[in-house]
C-alpha cells in the first residue's frame, strides 16, 4: 500500500492545511492500492506563494545552472526508472513492460530533450535596432491527465524548469503515484525551494484554484475538452495565458498498395496500445472501399491477437483506468451497435476469463463517419474502420471531425503519403511511423491551442509534419525498450524501438 499524504511545497514535504484523503484504486484488481491527500485552496495558495518567491531568483539563473540541475534530475530519474514504471502500472493499469519501457522512456526522452534544447537555445536575438529577449513567463500551473501520466508531467515540468519558470503541478487524482515519485526525484536532485511544487487533489478544487489564481501567470493543461473550456473561463478574469492540449479522434489513412493489409494490422494493434487511452490514437482507420473485405479481415485478426490480462504478466493490453472509463467504453460499444455499425471484433463486456478488473475487449467496428463512435472520443480500445473511394474522399473524411490532434498516413509511395498529410487539418501527422522528441505536439480545432515537445514547448508556432522518415510501418505490438533511445529525429534506418507509435 502506498501512502502519499504530503505535498511538495517550497522545498519541503508538507501536510495539507485541512486533512482529507482519498483512496486510489488499482484498475487491474479493483482494490485499494493506496491513499493520497486531497488538497484545498489554502494549499494552492501556499504553493503559488512559494513559486512566486522563487521566480525572482530562478528566472535570473544562468543556463549553466539550469543545465546542472536538469542533469542531476536525470541521474536521479534514471536511478528510479523501474520504480516509476511500476507506479504507472499500479495507478493506471499499463502492462509492466509498457510502464517500465515506453511510459518511463517518454519521461526520460523529454528530460533529455529539455537538456538538448537548453544547450542551444537562443534567449536573445538582435533584430535590427531591437534586442529581443525570450523570457520565462512566470509561475506556471501545470494540470495533467492520467493516461500517459509521466509523459504529461515531464513534458511540462522540465521545459518550465529549463526556461526559468517556476511551477505548481497538479497531477491526476486517478493516477497520482508516478508524479509523487517525480517530486521525490526533484527534491533529491536539489531543485531550489519553490521552483517546483506539487499539490494533489481534485481537479474542481486544486485545478480550478490554480486557474483562477491571480499570482499564476500561465496554465498549461492537458486533458479533456470540457475541462479545458472551464479552465479557459476560470483563467479569463486574471488574463493569464492558457495552453490547452485536449482530446482527439485522429484519422489513420491506409493507402491502396501491397502493404495495405499489413498496415491495417499494425494500425489496429497500435490502437490497442495503452488500452486505446491515447489522445492521438488513430481511432478512425480509413481504408480503400475497393479492398474493404481484406482490410476487415486484417483488422479482425490483429485485434483478436491482442492479449489482454493482468498488467504484471506478459500481455499487450491491461485494464482501462477506472470503472467510470470502463462504463464509457461499454456505452460507446452499445451505441455503435444501436447506430448500425458492424462489429468486426470484440464487443461488450470483459474478455473471457477476466471476472475482475476494468478489462475491455479490443473492439473493431466498420462504421460511417457520421456515427457517434466515429465523431466522439471514446478513449478506450475501440477502433472504427471507414471506407474511402478516392484520395480526395479520404482527406474529406479525415478532416470531417470536430478534432484535429494527430493523424497518420501509411503507404509505399512516400510522396503521395506526404501530399495527403499536408491536406489533413491536424496538429501532428506521422507518415509511415517515426518518432521525434523534437517535433511539436498539439492540436487544431477542439483538440486545443498549445504546442508542446522540444523547443516549441510553451510556444505558439504551428509546425505540422512529424516522423516523415519511412523508418517503420506504424505501431508494433511488442514490449517497448527499457529506456527510450536518445532523442532525435528518426533517420530512416530500421529502428523499431523508436517507432512504437502514437503517444499521449
Ligand atoms: P480531465 O480533463 O478529466 O482531467 C485532466 C486534469 O484536469 C486532471 O488532473 C483533473 O483533476 C483536472 N481537472 C478536472 N476538472 C478541473 C477543473 N474544473 N479545473 C481544473 N482542472 C480540472 O481528463 P482526463 O480524463 O484525466 O484525461 C483524458 C483526456 O485527456 C482525454 O480527452 C485525452 O484526449 C486528453 N489528453 C490530451 C492530450 C494532448 O496532448 N492533447 C494528452 C493526453 C490526454
Amino acid at each position: 500500500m502506498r501512502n502519499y499524504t504530503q505535498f511538495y511545497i517550497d522545498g519541503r514535504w508538507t501536510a495539507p492545511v485541512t486533512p482529507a484523503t482519498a483512496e486510489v484504486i488499482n484498475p487491474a484488481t479493483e482494490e485499494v492500492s493506496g491513499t493520497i491527500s486531497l488538497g484545498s485552496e489554502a494549499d494552492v495558495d501556499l504553493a503559488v506563494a512559494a513559486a512566486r518567491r522563487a521566480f525572482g531568483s530562478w528566472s535570473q539563473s544562468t543556463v549553466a545552472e539550469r543545465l546542472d540541475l536538469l542533469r542531476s534530475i536525470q541521474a536521479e530519474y534514471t536511478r528510479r526508472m523501474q520504480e516509476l514504471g511500476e507506479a504507472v502500472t499500479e495507478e493506471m493499469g499499463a502492462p509492466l513492460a509498457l510502464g517500465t519501457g515506453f511510459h518511463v522512456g517518454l519521461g526520460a526522452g523529454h528530460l533529455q530533450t529539455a537538456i538538448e534544447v537548453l544547450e542551444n537555445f537562443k534567449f536573445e536575438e538582435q533584430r535590427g535596432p531591437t534586442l529581443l529577449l525570450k523570457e520565462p513567463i512566470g509561475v506556471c500551473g501545470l494540470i495533467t491527465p492520467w493516461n500517459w501520466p509521466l509523459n504529461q508531467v515531464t513534458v511540462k515540468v522540465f521545459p518550465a524548469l529549463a526556461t526559468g519558470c517556476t511551477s505548481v503541478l497538479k497531477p491526476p487524482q486517478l493516477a497520482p503515484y508516478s508524479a509523487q515519485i517525480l517530486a521525490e526525484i526533484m527534491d533529491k536532485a536539489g531543485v531550489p525551494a519553490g521552483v517546483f511544487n506539487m499539490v494533489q487533489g481534485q481537479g474542481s478544487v486544486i485545478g480550478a484554484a490554480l486557474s483562477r489564481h491571480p499570482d499564476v501567470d500561465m496554465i498549461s493543461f492537458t486533458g479533456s475538452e470540457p475541462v479545458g473550456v472551464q479552465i479557459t473561463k476560470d483563467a479569463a478574469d486574471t488574463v493569464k495565458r492558457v495552453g490547452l492540449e485536449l482530446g482527439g479522434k485522429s484519422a489513420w489513412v491506409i493507402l491502396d498498395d501491397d502493404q495495405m493489409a499489413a498496415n491495417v494490422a499494425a494500425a489496429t494493434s497500435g490502437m490497442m496500445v495503452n488500452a486505446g487511452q491515447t489522445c492521438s490514437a488513430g481511432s478512425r482507420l480509413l481504408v480503400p472501399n475497393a479492398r474493404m473485405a481484406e482490410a476487415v479481415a486484417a483488422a479482425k485478426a490483429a485485434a483478436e491477437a491482442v492479449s489482454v490480462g493482468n498488467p504484471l504478466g506478459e500481455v499487450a493490453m491491461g485494464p482501462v483506468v477506472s470503472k467510470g472509463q470502463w462504463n464509457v467504453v461499454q456505452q460507446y460499444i452499445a451505441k455503435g451497435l444501436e447506430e448500425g455499425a458492424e462489429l468486426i471484433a470484440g464487443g461488450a463486456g470483459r474478455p473471457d476469463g477476466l471476472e475482475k478488473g476494468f478489462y475491455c475487449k479490443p473492439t473493431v467496428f466498420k462504421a460511417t463517419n457520421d456515427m457517434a463512435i466515429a465523431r466522439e472520443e471514446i478513449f478506450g480500445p475501440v477502433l472504427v474502420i471507414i471506407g474511402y473511394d478516392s484520395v480526395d474522399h479520404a482527406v474529406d473524411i479525415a478532416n470531417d471531425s470536430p478534432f484535429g490532434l494527430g493523424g497518420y498516413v501509411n503507404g509505399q509511395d512516400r510522396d503521395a503519403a506526404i501530399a495527403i498529410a499536408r491536406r489533413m487539418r491536424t496538429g501532428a501527422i506521422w507518415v509511415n511511423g517515426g518518432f521525434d522528441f523534437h517535433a511539436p505536439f498539439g492540436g487544431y480545432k477542439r483538440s486545443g491551442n498549445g504546442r508542446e515537445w522540444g523547443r516549441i514547448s510553451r510556444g505558439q508556432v504551428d509546425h505540422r509534419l512529424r516522423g516523415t522518415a519511412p523508418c517503420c510501418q506504424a505501431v508494433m505490438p511488442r514490449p517497448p525498450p527499457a529506456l527510450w533511445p536518445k532523442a532525435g529525429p528518426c533517420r530512416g534506418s530500421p529502428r523499431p524501438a523508436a517507432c512504437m507509435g502514437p503517444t499521449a
Side-chain angles (χ1 to χ4, degrees):
M1 291 282 278
R2 295 172 193 261
N3 255 316
Y4 292 144
T5 50
Q6 294 194 312
F7 306 140
Y8 189 67
I9 298 176
D10 209 8
R12 282 188 297 273
W13 292 100
T14 309
V17 173
T18 309
T21 55
E23 290 175 334
V24 180
I25 304 294
N26 181 335
T29 60
E30 301 186 33
E31 270 152 29
V32 176
S33 66
T35 306
I36 57 161
S37 279
L38 297 180
S40 64
E41 269 189 52
D43 300 300
V44 173
D45 284 342
L46 290 177
V48 172
R52 175 56 59 197
R53 279 194 301 277
F55 183 68
S57 54
W58 188 244
S59 60
Q60 300 304 313
S61 59
T62 64
V63 166
E65 284 165 344
R66 298 203 293 278
L67 279 171
D68 277 352
L69 181 60
L70 285 165
R71 290 191 182 111
S72 303
I73 295 169
Q74 192 171 42
E76 196 56 22
Y77 185 99
T78 306
R79 206 175 64 72
R80 298 191 67 180
M81 283 195 305
Q82 179 68 23
E83 218 182 311
L84 280 165
E86 287 167 4
V88 169
T89 293
E90 196 169 318
E91 64 191 356
M92 56 74 66
L96 191 58
L98 188 68
T100 55
F102 199 32
H103 275 270
V104 171
L106 282 164
H110 290 309
L111 180 47
Q112 172 63 20
T113 305
I115 291 170
E116 287 173 15
V117 171
L118 184 56
E119 279 168 344
N120 301 298
F121 197 81
K122 288 194 173 41
F123 284 93
E124 294 191 18
E125 188 188 327
Q126 189 73 44
R127 276 198 204 161
T130 300
L131 180 64
L132 187 73
L133 303 186
K134 291 185 182 165
E135 299 184 324
I137 286 169
V139 174
C140 299
L142 312 176
I143 305 174
T144 59
W146 47 262
N147 64 320
W148 289 91
L150 261 180
N151 175 67
Q152 268 95 33
V153 166
T154 56
V155 81
K156 295 185 190 303
V157 166
F158 297 136
L161 204 70
T163 51
C165 290
T166 58
S167 61
V168 179
L169 170 67
K170 188 267 180 254
Q173 197 185 325
L174 285 178
Y177 296 153
S178 51
Q180 191 87 19
I181 296 173
L182 192 84
E184 291 172 11
I185 289 171
M186 305 288 271
D187 182 51
K188 190 80 192 291
V191 174
V195 167
F196 166 79
N197 307 272
M198 186 207 56
V199 180
Q200 304 265 19
Q202 293 168 291
S204 55
V205 176
I206 307 301
L210 280 171
S211 307
R212 295 189 191 123
H213 206 292
D215 243 352
V216 171
D217 298 288
M218 177 177 182
I219 293 288
S220 177
F221 170 72
T222 299
S224 64
E225 185 198 335
V227 173
V229 170
Q230 185 58 49
I231 284 175
T232 307
K233 290 177 182 167
D234 285 342
D237 288 339
T238 47
V239 198
K240 54 175 65 78
R241 295 177 196 213
V242 178
L244 300 178
E245 302 286 343
L246 309 178
K249 194 76 192 178
S250 302
W252 194 319
V253 181
I254 306 289
L255 300 190
D256 186 354
D257 59 29
D258 293 349
Q259 287 295 312
M260 200 276 300
N263 283 332
V264 166
T268 305
S269 318
M271 176 65 213
M272 307 306 167
V273 170
N274 218 38
Q277 302 164 119
T278 297
C279 58
S280 57
S283 49
R284 289 184 300 146
L285 189 61
L286 310 193
V287 304
N289 261 327
R291 297 178 67 185
M292 180 57 83
E294 207 184 324
V296 162
K300 181 177 168 61
E304 288 174 353
V306 173
S307 53
V308 185
N310 185 337
L312 295 175
E314 298 246 324
V315 293
M317 201 175 104
V320 296
V321 71
S322 64
K323 178 77 176 156
Q325 198 64 27
W326 191 86
N327 285 337
V328 168
V329 172
Q330 301 307 315
Q331 281 157 15
Y332 273 108
I333 291 172
K335 180 91 181 154
L337 294 170
E338 233 172 80
E339 285 180 311
E342 184 188 335
L343 186 65
I344 306 296
R350 291 186 172 87
D352 290 346
L354 293 170
E355 307 310 326
K356 217 169 177 211
F358 308 128
Y359 297 98
C360 297
K361 296 178 186 166
T363 295
V364 180
F365 280 106
K366 179 171 170 262
T368 52
N369 201 44
D370 56 349
M371 294 178 176
I373 55 169
R375 302 206 74 73
E376 296 167 20
E377 185 184 49
I378 300 175
F379 225 54
V382 181
L383 176 68
V384 170
I385 300 186
I386 302 168
Y388 68 80
D389 297 324
S390 64
V391 163
D392 287 348
H393 190 204
V395 171
D396 285 347
I397 298 170
N399 289 337
D400 180 11
S401 170
F403 297 105
L405 186 59
Y408 307 79
V409 187
N410 278 64
Q412 289 168 310
D413 183 344
R414 182 168 175 264
D415 290 343
I418 290 179
I420 292 173
R422 285 182 192 281
R423 296 170 63 193
M424 287 165 65
R425 185 73 180 157
T426 174
I429 302 188
W430 289 260
V431 177
N432 290 329
F435 195 92
D436 181 7
F437 277 105
H438 287 271
F441 189 94
Y444 288 138
K445 302 194 264 183
R446 277 157 57 183
S447 292
N449 59 15
R451 292 292 180 273
E452 293 186 317
W453 296 50
R455 77 186 301 282
I456 211 73
S457 276
R458 317 259 102 68
Q460 296 301 322
V461 184
D462 290 349
H463 290 267
R464 299 187 67 219
L465 298 178
R466 62 153 61 200
T468 55
C471 63
C472 79
Q473 302 291 321
V475 184
M476 302 302 172
R478 60 171 165 255
L483 174 59
W484 200 247
K486 186 174 163 5
C490 202
R491 293 189 179 78
S493 59
R495 285 170 57 198
C499 301
M500 284 295 291
T503 65

